[in-house]
Amino acid sequence: MTETATEHRIADAPRLPPATRLPAAVQSIAMLVARRRTLAALRRRHGTAFRMRVPPFGNVVVVSDPALVKQVFTTKPDVAGNPEPNLGRVLGDGSIFNLDGEPHRRRRKLLTPPFHGRRLRAYEGIVEEEARREAATWPEGREFETLEPFMRITLNVILRAVFGAEGRDLDELRDLLPRIVALGSRLAVLPTTGPIAAVANPRQRFQAYRRRYDAVADGLIARALADPRLDERDDVLAMLLQSRYEDGRSMAHRDVADELLTLLAAGHATTATTLAWTVERLSRHPRLLERLVDEADAGGSELRHATILEVQRTRPVIIATARRVNAPAMPLGEWVIPRRYTVIVGIDLVQSDDAVFPDARRFDPDRFLGAAPDTYAWIPFGGGTRRCVGAAFATLELDVVLRTLLREYELRTTDRRGERWHSRGVAFAPARGGRAVVHRRSAPARRTVDLTGTPASTSTTA
Ligand code: HEM
C-alpha cells in the first residue's frame, strides 16, 4: 500500500465525540417525549459535540458550536447531504426534500427566484390583506389562542401567493391541505413495514387526500398554462411553470404539484407558530411593546425587525436540522464522522448558549439593533445549500402581520410565566397557543420615537 493511501485510511478512521451511556431504549423514549430537554441535558453533560441514537435516524452526532455548525453547513453535499428519512417521503418524488447533490442544486435554482426581490414585494399586499381580514374577527377583551388565527393567515397567504388559487380551488385547498400536511407529518415518521405499519397505518386515507389534491393541482396547472397573461402573474405556480433548467427543460407538472405541497408543508405552520411566540413574548414585555407601537405609528421598522430576530433566536420553532454523511468519512472539527451517521445541528442549543449570545435566556431585541446576526450562530432557517428557501418570504410575512397587529390592536400585557414549549410534530409551539387579550385601537397615535427607549413626543391623529 502506498504512503498516501495509508495516510488516507488513517485520516478517515472514525474519531467520534463522547457518547451518552443511557441505554438505547431510554434515549429513544427521551427523544420522543422530551426532545428539547434531552438535547439540552446532554449538551450540559458532554459539551458542544456528542453522540447518541435517535430514531428514526440511528447513530447521530449532535453539534452546537458555531464553528462546527459552519463546517456542517459548508460541507459539500457529496460528503454530507439530505438526511433520511424526511418529510419528502410523503410529499412526493418531485419534492426538494427528496433531492440531493446536483438534482437538488438544479431545483433550488428554479425555486429561489420567486422568493426574492420584486417578486417578494408583490406578496406584501396579500399578507396585509389576509392579516387585516383575520384580525377583524378577533374577540375584544377576551383571552384567545392566537396560533389558530395565525395558521389561517399563513395558509391563505400561501394559497394565494404560492398556488395562485382563488374561488372554488381556494376553498377546496383550504380544507384539504392542512389535513394532508397533518397526516403526512405523522406518516413521515411511522415505519413503512412491520407490525406498527400494519396496525396503525393511515396510508390509505392519505392516498385518498393525495388524489384529491392532485386533481385540484392538475386543474390549477392546466388553467395557468391556458392563461394568456401567465407572464404577468406573480404567484409561485406561474413562475415555476415558466422557469427552465439550465438545459432548457421545464419542470415536470408532477414535480410542480409536489413542490407546491412542499412549500405549504414547510412554510405554513412554521410561520404561524413563530407569530404565536411573538405574541407570547410581547405580552410579557410591556416596555418593548410600547416602543414597538410607537415605532409602527411613526412608520419605522428597525426595532420590529430586531424583535423578530430575537423571537426566532429564543423560540426557534424548528429546533434542529440534519445532514447525512454520504462519504466514507466527514471531518468535523477534531472528529471524523463515518458514513451513514447523521449530523444534527442543534439550532436551539446554539442559540441558547451564553458563550454564543451573552445572557442568552434574556429576551432582548436590542442585541440586534444595528447588528446583523451571525450566519452560523443565528440559524432558525438552517444554513448552506439547504438553507430555508422561504426565509425572506417568512420574514416579510412575520413583519407585515406584526406591523398590522401593532397598528390595529392594543395587546394586553401579563405578568404570568412564559408559556412552555410544546412539540406539535415538526414545530415547537407555545403550549397554550400564544394566548392573548386584545382591544381594537380607536385612533392610532403618531409619535416621534427614540429607539433607545423613551418616546420623545406624542400627538394623536384622531
Ligand atoms: C418562520 C418560518 C420558517 C422557519 C423557521 C423555517 C425553517 C426551515 C429550516 C430550519 C429548514 C431546513 C434548513 C437546513 O436544513 O439547513 C427549512 C427548509 C425549507 N424551508 Fe423553511 N422555514 C420557514 C418558512 C418557510 C416558508 C414560508 C417556506 C416557503 C413558502 C419554506 C420553505 C422551505 C423549503 C422548500 C425548505 C427545504 C430547502 C432545501 O431542502 O433545499 N420555509 N426551513
Side-chain angles (χ1 to χ4, degrees), residues 73 96-97 104 108 115 263 266-267 270-271 274 312 317-318 321 323 347 380-383 385-390 393-394:
F73 285 155
I96 192 163
F97 282 117
H104 174 256
R108 267 189 82 106
F115 293 107
L263 294 171
T270 43
T271 313
T274 306
Q312 291 191 279
V317 298
I318 308 285
T321 188
R323 303 288 183 268
I347 296 175
F381 293 115
T385 53
R386 301 203 81 95
R387 185 175 191 266
C388 176
V389 169
F393 182 74

Side-chain angles (χ1 to χ4, degrees), residues 241-262:
L241 289 174
Q242 294 169 88
S243 64
R244 295 289 176 271
Y245 291 110
E246 286 144 353
D247 62 4
R249 280 182 313 117
S250 52
M251 263 177 90
H253 293 172
R254 188 67 12 248
D255 292 351
V256 173
D258 287 352
E259 219 54 294
L260 295 181
L261 190 58
T262 300

Side-chain angles (χ1 to χ4, degrees), residues 43 48 63-69 73 313 316 319 344-357 360 374-379:
R43 196 259 312 261
T48 54
V63 296
S64 58
D65 170 275
L68 297 179
V69 171
F73 285 155
R313 181 188 74 79
I319 65 158
I344 290 187
V345 170
I347 296 175
D348 177 38
L349 297 182
V350 179
Q351 297 185 162
S352 61
D353 187 344
D354 285 328
V356 182
F357 292 96
D374 183 284
T375 314
Y376 300 109
W378 185 88
I379 48 172

Side-chain angles (χ1 to χ4, degrees), residues 11-278:
D12 284 357
R15 248 193 336 273
L16 289 160
T20 164
R21 295 231 179 85
L22 291 173
V26 177
Q27 294 180 44
S28 304
I29 294 168
M31 286 299 281
L32 262 170
V33 299
R35 204 168 358 137
R36 228 187 110 246
R37 272 181 291 146
T38 304
L39 290 174
L42 291 173
R43 196 259 312 261
R44 275 196 300 279
R45 185 170 174 84
H46 300 290
T48 54
F50 57 86
R51 186 159 44 106
M52 64 185 304
R53 284 191 64 79
V54 178
F57 297 122
N59 288 319
V60 310
V61 166
V62 181
V63 296
S64 58
D65 170 275
L68 297 179
V69 171
K70 178 175 182 181
Q71 219 181 329
V72 175
F73 285 155
T74 53
T75 292
K76 294 219 161 55
D78 52 343
V79 176
N82 207 13
E84 285 287 342
N86 65 48
L87 260 184
R89 235 195 206 185
V90 293
L91 292 168
D93 292 343
S95 164
I96 192 163
F97 282 117
N98 276 319
L99 304 180
D100 212 356
E102 193 47 24
H104 174 256
R105 186 194 67 79
R106 281 201 297 267
R107 179 63 60 77
R108 267 189 82 106
K109 277 195 97 167
L110 302 197
L111 269 192
T112 315
F115 293 107
H116 283 100
R118 179 179 75 74
R119 303 297 191 174
L120 202 56
R121 281 192 294 280
Y123 303 138
E124 183 167 344
I126 296 182
V127 178
E128 182 153 357
E129 216 174 283
E130 291 301 333
R132 278 177 191 279
R133 193 214 314 254
E134 177 60 43
T137 67
W138 286 8
E140 280 193 75
R142 180 164 60 75
E143 194 176 82
F144 68 104
E145 272 188 27
T146 56
L147 182 55
E148 287 312 314
F150 286 140
M151 292 285 274
R152 284 193 288 274
I153 295 175
T154 60
L155 177 62
N156 287 334
V157 167
I158 291 189
L159 290 180
R160 291 176 62 191
V162 174
F163 287 72
E166 43 191 42
R168 274 187 44 203
D169 291 331
L170 188 72
D171 293 339
E172 168 85 357
L173 290 172
R174 199 185 276 135
D175 170 62
L176 185 60
L177 288 176
R179 297 189 209 200
I180 295 196
V181 174
L183 196 56
S185 316
R186 271 171 54 208
L187 272 178
V189 291
L190 274 180
T192 46
T193 53
I196 298 182
V199 180
N201 197 336
R203 227 160 279 276
Q204 279 188 343
R205 189 151 41 103
F206 183 79
Q207 275 155 7
Y209 286 160
R210 179 70 210 215
R211 279 192 293 276
R212 266 176 71 193
Y213 168 72
D214 286 338
V216 183
D218 287 348
L220 280 174
I221 292 172
R223 275 191 295 286
L225 290 172
D227 185 348
R229 306 179 77 174
L230 183 66
D231 59 343
E232 292 169 28
R233 279 173 47 171
D234 283 315
D235 53 271
V236 177
L237 166 65
M239 279 180 266
L240 290 184
L241 289 174
Q242 294 169 88
S243 64
R244 295 289 176 271
Y245 291 110
E246 286 144 353
D247 62 4
R249 280 182 313 117
S250 52
M251 263 177 90
H253 293 172
R254 188 67 12 248
D255 292 351
V256 173
D258 287 352
E259 219 54 294
L260 295 181
L261 190 58
T262 300
L263 294 171
L264 178 104
H268 167 216
T270 43
T271 313
T273 310
T274 306
L275 283 165
W277 274 123
T278 307

